[in-house]
Amino acid sequence: MSQTLNPAAFMNNPDTHSGVTNAKLGVWLFLASEIMLFATLFTSYIVLRMGATSWPWGWDVLNVPLATLNTVILISSSVTIVMAYAKAYDKNKSGFQGWMAATLALSFGFLVVKAFEYGAEFKLGIGPHTSVFYAIYFTMTGLHGIHILGGIAVNGGLLYMSSVKEHWENPLFLGRVEGAGLYWHFVDIVWIFLFPALYLL
Amino acid sequence: MSNNKDARRDEHRPDVGLYVKVFAALMVLTMITVAISKFHLPRPQAIALGLFVAVIKASLVGALFMHLWGENKLIHRTLFIVAGGAAILILPLIDCVMISHRITSPADVASQHPHEGGHAATHEEK
């Protein structure tokens, strides 16, 4: 049997001659596609805003205090996941699990706050159909929310895997945590731009 | 096995003290962003300032949390290509919108057709 057809042999393939693991390069290429996705959405936002005869202030039509709270939550979760990485690096399992659980709690907190925000808007009959502003607002924040859900699934999976000895002791586990962290920081960066663009400016 | 060794070489040594400092900086910058919007500056200045702060925040997260500072050159090159692609995608479109915005704005129409404007004013004076 050819070695290239053996998945185990493929996983243990010698170095990539680049100094970057295949997994990390894969995560960065995925993030590159995500950057293009959000770049198109931000372009749509700019085009719609510049073409509109009037554009509302975020303070007048959106709940800025709740969005500020969500910004604080998301930045905090970026710190907790990088702390989880630090603990995984030190092979401190309980520390890793504690920080990763904190990341998950903050992620759910973000979604709960967002649900309150959406709920208040829906109660007033406001939806994507209301205006161009709300259409782009719901599209961008909704897609970002879906990315949060994806992050919760990955981070939850890693938290579970850390409780299984075979996974925790796998030399590739730290790389997986780093990959999940890269994705989560990217989601944070998207919000860093969404927050002023939609709510403040 | 070699990939495992590669993974070990590729890992970034965490710096907890640095992470805490970056967290504090991000919080301060978030408060500055909110404060800028409270001042009710003219929109172009408010947007420029707000985006400037957002770029600083994103750079801090990218450079220090995502370890792009000191990352392998292959990753830097990949991101450079993506940034170029995004610029090719966005800039011409924004330029088109700005041109059409200028062409259709009342001030521009008046300056492009001074006779029509002057004519109208003459009629109004009468």
Side-chain angles (χ1 to χ4, degrees), chain B residues 59-126:
Chain B
S59 303
L60 282 174
V61 174
L64 302 171
F65 283 172
M66 297 173 91
H67 304 123
L68 275 174
W69 187 270
E71 183 55 276
N72 190 285
K73 278 185 181 160
L74 179 67
I75 304 294
H76 288 164
R77 284 185 195 134
T78 306
L79 288 177
F80 185 73
I81 292 168
V82 172
I88 290 168
L89 185 79
I90 294 171
L91 293 180
L93 198 56
I94 291 175
D95 191 43
C96 285
V97 175
M98 287 176 87
I99 289 167
S100 68
H101 183 68
R102 275 203 302 276
I103 289 170
T104 54
S105 72
D108 188 76
V109 170
S111 69
Q112 291 288 320
H113 306 282
H115 295 299
E116 288 174 26
H119 203 63
T122 315
H123 279 296
E124 278 168 21
E125 279 166 19
K126 281 180 184 176

Side-chain angles (χ1 to χ4, degrees), chain A residues 18-106:
Chain A
S18 63
V20 181
T21 54
N22 297 337
K24 191 199 266 190
L25 186 60
V27 170
W28 273 111
L29 288 174
F30 168 66
L31 292 183
S33 71
E34 290 282 275
I35 290 169
M36 295 305 278
L37 169 67
F38 279 99
T40 55
L41 277 173
F42 273 102
T43 307
S44 308
Y45 164 80
I46 294 166
V47 168
L48 289 171
R49 182 166 178 165
M50 291 183 77
T53 49
S54 66
W55 197 261
W57 282 100
W59 280 96
D60 296 335
V61 292
L62 297 173
N63 195 329
V64 177
L66 277 187
T68 307
L69 174 63
N70 257 351
T71 305
V72 171
I73 288 174
L74 214 49
I75 289 173
S76 304
S77 73
S78 256
V79 179
T80 55
I81 201 164
V82 89
M83 293 299 288
Y85 170 75
K87 294 300 173 189
Y89 188 94
D90 293 338
K91 293 282 166 206
N92 178 345
K93 193 200 273 190
S94 60
F96 167 79
Q97 289 174 333
W99 285 112
M100 194 51 108
T103 306
L104 281 169
L106 288 165

Side-chain angles (χ1 to χ4, degrees), chain A residues 132-186:
Chain A
V132 172
F133 171 80
Y134 279 114
I136 197 80
Y137 158 78
F138 278 108
T139 303
M140 294 180 91
T141 55
L143 187 66
H144 181 262
I146 290 170
H147 278 76
I148 295 275
L149 281 175
I152 287 173
V154 173
N155 294 340
L158 283 172
L159 184 59
Y160 165 73
M161 284 166 76
S162 70
S163 64
V164 180
K165 193 180 174 192
E166 183 193 342
H167 290 303
W168 174 253
E169 290 178 355
N170 189 326
L172 297 179
F173 185 78
L174 186 60
R176 289 170 188 148
V177 175
E178 188 180 14
L182 287 175
Y183 172 79
W184 194 253
H185 296 311
F186 170 77

Side-chain angles (χ1 to χ4, degrees), chain A residues 19-20 23 38 65 111 120 193 198 200:
Chain A
V20 181
F38 279 99
L111 289 180
F193 284 102
L198 293 173
L200 301 178

